[in-house]
Amino acid sequence: MESRNGVTARLDHRNPLVFDTHELGRRPGALQRLTRTVDAPKDFGVQGVVGVPEGAPVELELRLESVMEGVLVTGTARAQAEGECVRCLEPLQLDVEAEFQEMFSYPDADDRGRVQAEPGDDAEDDEDRLFLEDGLFDLESVLRDAVVLALPMQPVCQEDCPGLCSECGARLADDPDHQHDAVDIRWAALKGLAGSLGDGEKDEMSGAEAEAGVDEKQEK
């Protein structure tokens, strides 16, 4: 069977994220509920920030409803994501629950569910729609978008994480009393200048004492 754009259906019913709607038929109002645990595909999150590891279990609860123009899919996905705290850089895990709803249209139906004699020419409109292919639909792209939107863009290990010490990089949550003595660079500079002057005075005194010793010897 060919898709709306004249391309042979390429979906594999053995793919765990491909679902079969033949049981629903094209009977508006028919319902089907499914639960399935699948392995998370690659790039299931925000790269380098937080995401569900590839191969990690994702629990799906789906409601498939047959309507005039296609199959309306409503669902919830639950999984555990991994990432790094943006404040203290410690690894973290968090539970993710993502809800989604998407319409998968019949290839031969228009927006009002009427069967079309020929496929439409509105390519731009088709780009925004998802279609059934021989009664099958692939949930991967819908699921990925829903999970990414449910993930925090700046994950933290705890809401009040104090982060790292700006001076030494120590994790402040491990040592709440951690602090460094504040040193004003202006005072440090004056202290250094005073030290230099002190050393100069010592050298002058040593030189004066040496000259006095020589004079005493000459007088004797």
Side-chain angles (χ1 to χ4, degrees):
M1 179 176 176
E2 294 186 345
S3 71
R4 183 178 179 84
N5 296 320
V7 179
T8 302
R10 65 189 185 284
L11 298 185
D12 185 351
H13 69 277
R14 294 168 296 182
N15 183 334
L17 285 173
V18 170
F19 294 82
D20 192 335
T21 67
H22 285 98
E23 185 176 326
L24 286 174
R26 294 183 69 156
R27 304 185 307 274
L31 294 174
Q32 184 179 8
R33 296 183 185 276
L34 300 172
T35 59
R36 184 181 295 183
T37 299
V38 301
D39 293 341
K42 187 178 179 181
D43 300 329
F44 214 51
V46 182
Q47 189 173 8
V49 180
V50 64
V52 179
E54 183 177 358
V58 180
E59 297 178 4
L60 299 177
E61 293 183 6
L62 303 179
R63 179 178 183 268
L64 279 54
E65 180 180 1
S66 179
V67 295
M68 289 293 292
E69 63 267 34
V71 176
L72 180 65
V73 179
T74 305
T76 302
R78 297 180 179 87
Q80 188 173 72
E82 297 179 359
E84 185 178 84
C85 177
V86 296
R87 296 178 187 171
C88 68
L89 308 182
E90 285 292 306
L92 57 80
Q93 294 183 330
L94 55 96
D95 294 327
V96 181
E97 181 172 306
E99 297 182 348
F100 51 90
Q101 186 174 74
E102 189 65 51
M103 171 67 72
F104 289 86
S105 301
Y106 295 125
D108 58 353
D110 64 12
D111 291 336
R112 288 168 289 181
R114 298 179 304 186
V115 175
Q116 301 179 104
E118 296 293 336
D121 296 326
D122 193 345
E124 184 177 348
D125 181 57
D126 284 355
E127 289 180 359
D128 296 330
R129 299 171 63 188
L130 297 175
F131 293 92
L132 293 166
E133 294 185 16
D134 192 19
L136 304 176
F137 68 86
D138 187 349
L139 194 63
E140 182 172 337
S141 62
V142 173
L143 188 57
R144 176 179 283 105
D145 290 346
V147 169
V148 169
L149 288 175
L151 291 169
M153 293 298 100
Q154 294 188 318
V156 291
C157 58
Q158 55 189 31
E159 290 299 326
D160 58 349
C161 175
L164 303 175
C165 174
S166 60
E167 294 191 33
C168 68
R171 187 168 181 263
L172 298 177
D174 296 332
D175 184 8
D177 298 324
H178 180 88
Q179 61 181 357
H180 294 272
D181 293 333
V183 178
D184 190 314
I185 59 173
R186 293 169 299 180
W187 288 112
L190 289 174
K191 184 177 180 181
L193 180 59
S196 298
L197 291 175
D199 293 340
E201 291 174 354
K202 288 180 181 179
D203 292 340
E204 290 178 1
M205 290 180 63
S206 297
E209 290 175 355
E211 290 179 1
V214 171
D215 292 341
E216 288 180 0
K217 286 181 181 180
Q218 289 178 349
E219 289 177 359
K220 291 179 180 180

